[in-house]
Amino acid sequence: MIGAKPTRLSPKLLRNLRERAIEFVLFLAALSSVATTIAIVAILVYESILFFQKVSIWEFITDTQWTPLFDDKHYGIWPLVSGTLVTTVVALLVAIPLGTIIAIYLSEFAPPIVREVIKPILELLAGIPTVVYGYFALLFVTPLLQVILPELPGFNMLSAGLVIGIMIIPYVSSLSEDAMRAVPAHLREGSYATGATRLQTALRVVVPASISGISAAYILGISRAVGETMIVAIAAGGQPNLTWNPMEPAATMTAYIVAVSLGDLPHGSLEYETIFAVGLTLVLMTLVFNIIGHFLTKRYREIY
Amino acid sequence: MTTTHNMRQIRAIINRNKLSEYVFSIVGLLSMLIGIVTLLALIFDLVSDGAPRLSWDFFTSFPSRRAANAGILSAWVGSLLVMLVTASAAIPIGIASGIYLEEYAQKNWLADLIEINVTNLAGVPSIIYGLLALGLFVYGFNLGPSVVTAGLTLALLVLPVVIVTTREALRAIPNTIREAAYAAGASKWQMIWDHVLPYATGSILTGIIVALARAIGETAPLITIGALTFIAFLPESPIKGEFPFISFSWLLAPFTVIPIQMFDWVSRPQEAFQVNAAAAGIVLIAMTLAMNAVAIYLRYRLRKTIKW
């Protein structure tokens, strides 16, 4: 610009500078999620390394007892893994069939008004605080189950697993339904044109076509069940117990972390490091499920 | 005759198909009922156990060794303060990164990495965030088991929810709005701040409410960082009588929140404390259900009123 003093920044340059500054700030905010992940991995790995310098990995994966807080210390992860897997399997036996059926029903059968009303109500199930579910499992579901199974102890993995299953139904059903609704209408119409019924279309066309979305929903459900904490901490007992029987009390990995954290551990002690080693195992387990899910999705993805 | 014979077979097949459709509809309805009945049973169970304890005293008393005198004063004040920190950290950062990812990010490996990261973070168990906060905030930054540690922990936990809903809200704004703003000479940020964001505010707000409803009920990560279960005092008030009128010492105060108070009560063997737990549960559930209901209502209204 002629006449503008060369020392003053031109408005255009200022505007550009401001735009750049804003973009940079937004970029930093976006990086915060990456920073979180890096921090999670760094802290879990760092504390676990300290742990494994004192306890051999071999003992960690072969010993069948987990008693770090007793005088006779054992550091075998299996009792916690078995507790986690049993509650997860019980939960999935509830959530996957119910969630899938609900998704098929809402997406292919239900009139729009039912879907509009029922879907948000079901989603409330996922919004209830888990500590409330823990109360419900311990003081409502367990006494109810004891009517049918008189031998059932007051703390058990069965009622914890059942309640987790109910809690994760909406994770499975909502995502699966979204995936089914995204299947293009011409696929359904093609199926109807060959004389298929709604149920046949749903099971043989819509479900296979949306299997990648459905398996993503299952994976999310598994992650939730594996990582669920308060329900198992309240209702399953909290005593590490190597058993595959859901009618027994046991502790999951998450419940152990809670139980130990309540005891105000001195920073840097071996007990303090155990919760990070257990946490790392938990993260690795969810990671394995996610990777399996990723490959399943890729393997079966239909292209339309 | 073969034709009538065939017709009869076809009819049988049709009838069988009709029956299976019918059966499936029933099974579908029943499956939904199981979920809804459980929800109702849970609420009914809590209310019938805990409603007698809900009184003014319950909200204005500190926890006590005697169940009948115990209340949730320190717990709900704690929940309020922790939520204040969570909201003031998660909302700006979440919206900012949502805007960056949706409006600015080029399609390159870095954007992909951030994207994959946000999805994966949403699947990380909440207790792992507690371990992160224990290592990083409590012992790394020496913030101790305080209100600010708890608030930041929950902010990290709900950040993916805020980011994802912000992105979806922005994606729903048609490009014509952006083009019109550019045509009038707006810069990119002016376009976003003056045009896109105002239209997206409703949907973003819905996501924020859902995120905060989740944060308010979270227990596990706060136990991990060392929240106390028995607090018989309140943190210093943020507003003071003398200069400078605002105090931040509450940020470093120890805290308890309603879910932790409830967990403490439910783990005690005495029945009287479990009644207290039920009463705290009613408060908790009323708060989360109310927040979720507002979010559902907002979503419903937005979908009805906005037609692009």
Side-chain angles (χ1 to χ4, degrees):
Chain A
M1 246 206 276
I2 308 162
K5 287 182 195 160
T7 47
R8 281 246 311 263
L9 297 168
S10 73
K12 194 179 167 192
L13 190 63
L14 262 179
R15 179 173 149 144
N16 266 338
L17 265 176
R18 215 189 55 194
E19 287 289 312
R20 279 303 172 87
I22 289 172
E23 183 174 346
F24 185 66
V25 170
L26 296 177
F27 175 67
L28 284 186
L31 272 190
S32 64
S33 76
V34 180
T36 310
T37 311
I38 294 173
I40 289 177
V41 173
I43 283 175
L44 289 181
V45 169
Y46 172 73
E47 298 284 354
S48 300
I49 287 175
L50 295 181
F51 172 78
F52 285 120
Q53 280 171 353
K54 298 168 196 161
V55 176
S56 73
I57 294 189
W58 183 247
E59 182 185 352
F60 191 67
I61 55 174
T62 54
D63 202 325
T64 56
Q65 276 179 291
W66 178 262
T67 52
L69 304 178
F70 297 163
D71 286 338
D72 176 29
K73 292 185 193 305
H74 286 276
Y75 299 96
I77 192 69
W78 282 108
L80 298 181
V81 172
S82 76
T84 306
L85 288 180
V86 170
T87 46
T88 302
V89 167
V90 173
L92 293 180
L93 287 178
V94 175
I96 285 191
L98 287 181
T100 314
I101 291 172
I102 290 173
I104 294 175
Y105 181 79
L106 284 180
S107 142
E108 306 298 315
F109 287 78
I113 180 77
V114 174
R115 185 163 52 224
E116 291 285 309
V117 176
I118 298 284
K119 210 177 167 187
I121 294 181
L122 281 175
E123 279 168 7
L124 288 182
L125 281 174
I128 304 271
T130 51
V131 64
V132 174
Y133 273 120
Y135 176 94
F136 182 67
L138 179 67
L139 296 172
F140 186 87
V141 177
T142 298
L144 200 68
L145 287 174
Q146 279 169 336
V147 174
I148 315 165
L149 308 159
E151 260 94 90
L152 196 70
F155 292 117
N156 62 80
M157 293 188 277
L158 183 63
S159 69
L162 290 178
V163 172
I164 296 174
I166 299 276
M167 183 193 83
I168 60 178
I169 283 177
Y171 290 102
V172 176
S173 68
S174 274
L175 272 182
S176 307
E177 199 228 316
D178 289 344
M180 288 179 201
R181 293 240 279 159
V183 172
H186 61 78
L187 285 185
R188 286 190 192 86
E189 284 154 12
S191 166
Y192 292 143
T194 63
T197 64
R198 265 210 283 204
L199 186 60
Q200 287 164 334
T201 307
L203 294 181
R204 296 189 198 164
V205 177
V206 177
V207 169
S210 52
I211 198 75
S212 68
I214 296 175
S215 46
Y218 288 176
I219 294 297
L220 181 69
I222 295 174
S223 292
R224 291 278 159 211
V226 169
E228 171 38 50
T229 310
M230 296 320 293
I231 302 175
V232 286
I234 293 170
Q239 211 55 255
N241 180 3
L242 183 55
T243 173
W244 304 101
N245 178 2
M247 315 257 273
E248 283 184 38
T252 64
M253 294 192 265
T254 53
Y256 170 74
I257 297 174
V258 163
V260 170
S261 308
L262 282 171
D264 196 26
L265 288 173
H267 177 50
S269 64
L270 186 57
E271 289 82 0
Y272 174 84
E273 283 151 11
T274 56
I275 60 177
F276 289 90
V278 172
L280 184 64
T281 317
L282 180 67
V283 168
L284 288 178
M285 253 172 81
T286 41
L287 195 67
V288 167
F289 287 128
N290 277 317
I291 291 170
I292 294 174
H294 178 77
F295 281 106
L296 282 180
T297 325
K298 247 181 146 168
R299 171 88 174 67
Y300 292 111
R301 173 163 290 166
E302 300 238 339
I303 293 162
Y304 41 75
Chain B
M1 298 295 273
T2 51
T3 43
T4 52
H5 187 65
N6 276 343
M7 280 312 284
R8 208 175 295 140
Q9 274 182 324
I10 289 168
R11 283 235 169 76
I13 290 171
I14 289 175
N15 282 337
R16 211 164 45 231
N17 284 340
K18 269 191 178 158
L19 183 71
S20 60
E21 295 247 297
Y22 186 71
V23 169
F24 183 81
S25 293
I26 304 272
V27 172
L29 280 169
L30 280 179
S31 307
M32 294 192 306
L33 265 181
I34 291 177
I36 292 165
V37 165
T38 310
L39 190 67
L40 291 178
L42 180 139
I43 293 172
F44 181 77
D45 180 45
L46 268 189
V47 170
S48 66
D49 288 355
R53 273 299 278 132
L54 281 182
S55 64
W56 185 247
D57 286 345
F58 187 67
F59 289 94
T60 55
S61 306
F62 287 111
S64 161
R65 280 176 218 297
R66 276 182 299 161
N69 296 346
I72 55 167
L73 178 61
S74 45
W76 70 256
V77 172
S79 278
L80 201 73
L81 294 177
V82 169
M83 278 308 113
L84 197 66
V85 177
T86 302
S88 37
I91 294 172
I93 297 179
I95 294 179
S97 40
I99 293 175
Y100 181 82
L101 289 174
E102 200 54 38
E103 303 283 335
Y104 286 90
Q106 254 105 51
K107 258 282 155 232
N108 58 24
W109 64 271
L110 193 58
D112 283 345
L113 179 75
I114 298 176
E115 179 124 37
I116 295 168
N117 220 300
V118 172
T119 342
N120 277 338
L121 275 182
V124 171
S126 64
I127 195 155
I128 298 298
Y129 285 90
L131 292 180
L132 165 70
L134 181 65
L136 191 67
F137 299 140
V138 177
Y139 292 115
F141 300 159
N142 268 323
L143 294 171
S146 58
V147 171
V148 64
T149 303
L152 291 179
T153 311
L154 295 182
L156 287 182
L157 183 68
V158 299
L159 206 53
V161 183
V162 181
I163 295 177
V164 169
T165 44
T166 304
R167 294 192 64 180
E168 275 166 11
L170 295 178
R171 210 174 301 149
I173 311 285
N175 262 331
T176 46
I177 304 272
R178 295 185 180 84
E179 283 153 14
Y182 281 139
S187 70
K188 187 156 193 164
W189 178 245
Q190 285 169 334
M191 176 275 283
I192 294 170
W193 184 256
D194 294 331
H195 300 276
V196 174
L197 266 187
Y199 288 122
T201 307
S203 317
I204 295 177
L205 193 64
T206 315
I208 289 172
I209 296 172
V210 170
L212 290 182
R214 183 171 167 207
I216 217 165
E218 260 316 328
T219 325
L222 299 186
I223 292 180
T224 315
I225 62 174
L228 300 175
T229 47
F230 188 92
I231 290 196
F233 56 87
L234 290 183
E236 211 177 309
S237 157
I239 300 159
K240 296 176 111 175
E242 66 269 22
F243 191 76
F245 303 115
I246 296 175
S247 148
F248 285 105
S249 63
W250 57 273
L251 280 173
L252 289 173
F255 71 101
T256 189
V257 291
I258 304 175
I260 288 184
Q261 188 68 68
M262 181 178 175
F263 173 63
D264 179 45
W265 281 335
V266 82
S267 336
R268 290 171 189 230
Q270 303 96 318
E271 203 165 310
F273 277 111
Q274 290 174 352
V275 174
N276 282 357
I282 296 174
V283 177
L284 204 52
I285 234 178
M287 284 192 308
T288 50
L289 286 190
M291 288 168 91
N292 277 306
V294 170
I296 288 167
Y297 174 72
L298 268 179
R299 200 181 304 161
Y300 174 74
R301 249 197 55 183
L302 285 170
R303 221 184 313 162
K304 253 179 100 171
T305 49
I306 297 184
K307 291 228 162 51
W308 296 109

